[in-house]
Amino acid sequence: MISARPILRFYLEGLLGFTGGKAAALFVPGSANGADVLLQVGAGEQPSELVDLASARASWPDLERRAAGLENPVELAGREDDVVLLRTTARAEGLIESVADPSLRRRGTDQAPALGPTARSLWVGLRLARPSGAEPGAAVVLPLQLSDDVAPRAWPWLLAVGGALVWQEQRVSELLDDSVTGLPGRLQFQDLLGRALARATERETPLSLLLVNPDDFDTVNVRRGRAAGDLALAELGHLLGTGLRTSDVVARYGAAVFAVILPGTGVAAAEQVAEKVRRLVAETSLLGEIELGCSVGLFGLEAGELGSTLPDDMIRCASRALNAAKLGGGNRVQVWGADADTVGEGVDRLRDIFTGDPVKDYRNMSLLWGSIRAVASSGDERVLASQAVEHLMRTLSPKRALVAADDGEQRRFLFGLEADDQRQLVVLAPELVPAADQELMRQAQTRRAAVVEAAPDGSPRAAFPLAVDGRCLGSIGLTFDAASRPFDAADAFFLEALASQLAVALDRARLVARESARQEDEKRRLEQELNQLRDALEVSQLLFRSAEMEGVLATVRRVAPTDATVLIEGESGTGKELLARALHELSPRGRKSLVVVDCGSIPPTLVESELFGHERGAYTGATQRRVGRLSEANGSTLFLDEIGELPLEVQAKLLRFVQERHFTPVGGNRPVAVEVRIIAATNRNLLEEVAAGRFREDLYYRLKVVSLEAPPLRKRPEDILYLAQHFLQRYGLLYGKRARALTPEAEALLLQYSWPGNVRELQNRMMQAVILSESEELAPDDLRIAGGPGPVPVHGGAGADRVSDGVEEEVSADPWFDLERLLVAEVDRALGVDQRVLPGLGRWLREDLVLAADRHSGGNARQAAGILRQPETSVRRRIVKANDQRLAGLAIRSPGWPRVVAALERIVAGSDTAGSCERSEDLLLGLIDERVPNAKTRGAALLGVTPPTYGRRLAALARARAAEARRRPAALGA
């Protein structure tokens, strides 16, 4: 079936001839297959309403409202004085149908009137030549270069013809075209390619095929959603359709891959076209802001090379060329040629096993799925071979299927099946394998390539090597009946890819036997080491010697057998969770697992669903029912850590549960009763939170039936050295270190330190000291505690830049100038030290900036978020994380970093802090890129991010700088 689009273009050109216009465009919104249609002709500037797809989509509802109630043909003035917009309807009869009754429109909505499935509106925009002497703003009268008695009847007839042509185009598109782009789909493309190949063979003209794929197009769906991705695909299809010759055929091959058939075009000319297409896509901003590279695979045939080439051969070669372009780094054109034997090595051989034939594709999918299950479930080579042969016989229905193995010493048949005259499967003994089959399989193994031939009776036979990592482990042989269906190139390609996957499984099966004995010895050794480590770790044991902790544990023993709700208060790192576990394990509920919920680590919008669960469809993204943590803890204990972080609305629902012992899941309508004991913990002063209105008073007293206070480490000095020795032994054994004792000076330093991070900080410092130390005794400088040698944690503070290394720094009036100067010194210092692990300066910058805002706001997270112009929930989580790092002794900084903190303090104290987070990180990113260009790994380490994130940040910074450079000359010219 011939497409109506060339006729539609001819129709628009005719309108220009009749009216003497300069440009014309035709727009059909939401055609039958879901894709919009926009066609444009003429050398003049297109009407602004229809200049591109995005403008047409945006203008259409307003045009429909303006046309409502008017008679057809509807004529409206455009935004420009010389533009006229015409509206008519696409119908099978080509008649002009009146616009739907305006009274049928829904009140209070901007939605345009619906026209039904058989009548769709279409708009024609004409840019006309204004008559000389016409006043600006005067209406333009539609001219027709026809006699006066014919012209009044001509417009309805011309628009009716356009409507009929559009209706025909929509019917064709509905049956054959892709629903997103409106281009021919894969099945229609294969038919068009077959016809083009036959025509080229008959006329002895060249023919080329391009496969075009934007690089990293998946990021569009991830960043903007599937709907935006479809819009981007529609833009790409329109771009390719309008950027090539009318004789060229553009189709959507699948996913984000487009196919272009170039009739009468040889390889050299096609390569120029491919480069033009690559530049066209790469230089276009999809959706107005997304720029992607473009890879193109090209396969061409000259006039004398057509021979017996099949469409499948052209598609396969173009696809492998596209894969090679991707493997070569993308954003390039790759030509497949007879001399390019290595092009496509290492490509995904399963990429194009599906042909577009539903029956064949279903068969291939069934065979592939069965083989994957066999590969996943079998560790024995004979079992694997038998399952693979059974799947081949059941799916492809050959006469014989065989698998042979070769381990370098001998060649043996692992398994074979043969179908008798009644299609009953019989196991084939090795000595009964025909010599012709053996020879064919030997050739495939020797050549390490597929071998396909016809037997003397015409029955097709094929053999495929089982090759992996340059080694050939055996071969697969298939023999078909003479009356069976043809064995084509697509089948061979699929089976060759399948054989490569089975070869991997066969290689794995061979390794299993040799690995089994070694693993058994390793298992015994690991079990012995595991017993030693288990004795050393004692992860859930409360260790103490102080009277303060003894008193707390005495209360725990008295309260544990009851079901009383317990509130544990104390600073971070004092062991509140260990106390909760002790309460649970000493209770009758101890036989079940303790269910822990960290209220501070769950986003506020998900806390309610996490605690109480939700029903399917309760909110966007709730695709299935979820059981909450309260239901999971039925019959056990629920530990709510950091209860002070709960949002007020969730506190109300939790209060009702504590009172009534039942709750209603999110989106549900039936209460759920559970039997759960509640233990809560917090490092905040909840009475102060109650006074500030951030915590419910009634919930506070409901939770504080029994109160426990975990004493800070500084109030129980008897435990400091005892815990330090415990951690020393534990980590020494765990990491195989020699450190076994503390020097007297190190013990004195441990006792002098205030331990703001409590037991957690002590644990982290001992672990760090053990890992970094090479001696048997830990000295004070191994501990890296404030007051001792070595780098110390930086807590920040005003005036921190005044004293560093005994040098007083000069402070300028611009804190951003100071910050840049100081960051230059920090980057140079980091790169000048011979170390394998670079410091994460970007992470330090992010943490200390949010802490500076927190200090400036007096600990008010909302005010800190206002200073940084960031979401409050995000800033709150960053403050908590940064404080935890600082209190745990993990905020290690360089000696000169306090000056950077002081500059950050001045920035957050200034009047304009908008974008300070992004600006400071971009400042550091630019400095890193200047000093370590083209070193993504080192740059990412300095910025404290992953290499992919570093690459994306660099690209974004480059685009921002380019945009600024473009704006700067414009501003200077103004």
Side-chain angles (χ1 to χ4, degrees), residues 533-552:
L533 290 175
R534 187 180 292 114
D535 294 339
L537 288 175
E538 302 172 340
V539 291
S540 62
Q541 182 179 351
L542 273 170
L543 300 175
F544 60 91
R545 284 187 175 179
S546 62
E548 290 82 0
M549 283 299 296
E550 182 59 46
V552 173

Side-chain angles (χ1 to χ4, degrees), residues 829-905:
R829 181 184 294 111
L831 295 173
V833 177
D834 185 15
Q835 52 186 354
R836 289 176 294 177
V837 180
L838 293 171
L841 301 181
R843 178 173 52 81
W844 296 1
L845 193 64
R846 291 188 290 271
E847 291 177 357
D848 290 336
L849 179 61
V850 76
L851 288 177
D854 185 44
R855 287 191 294 272
H856 186 74
S857 63
N860 188 314
R862 179 170 298 178
Q863 292 184 14
I867 291 173
L868 299 176
R869 314 292 175 88
Q870 296 282 316
E872 180 182 350
T873 55
S874 176
V875 171
R876 187 183 296 275
R877 286 195 298 270
R878 291 168 63 187
I879 290 173
V880 171
K881 183 178 180 181
N883 273 321
D884 286 345
Q885 291 282 323
R886 179 176 59 84
L887 293 175
L890 299 178
I892 306 300
R893 303 290 190 261
S894 67
W897 192 258
R899 288 172 287 189
V900 176
V901 175
L904 295 177
E905 297 274 5

Side-chain angles (χ1 to χ4, degrees), residues 610-627:
E610 183 74 16
L611 283 176
F612 303 104
H614 64 253
E615 299 294 336
R616 180 180 178 183
Y619 53 85
T620 303
T623 57
Q624 59 185 5
R625 181 175 179 271
R626 187 185 187 284
V627 177

Side-chain angles (χ1 to χ4, degrees), residues 484-501:
S484 63
R485 56 160 188 78
F487 187 83
D488 57 24
D491 295 325
F493 180 72
F494 170 76
L495 288 170
E496 186 179 4
L498 183 65
S500 67
Q501 306 303 312

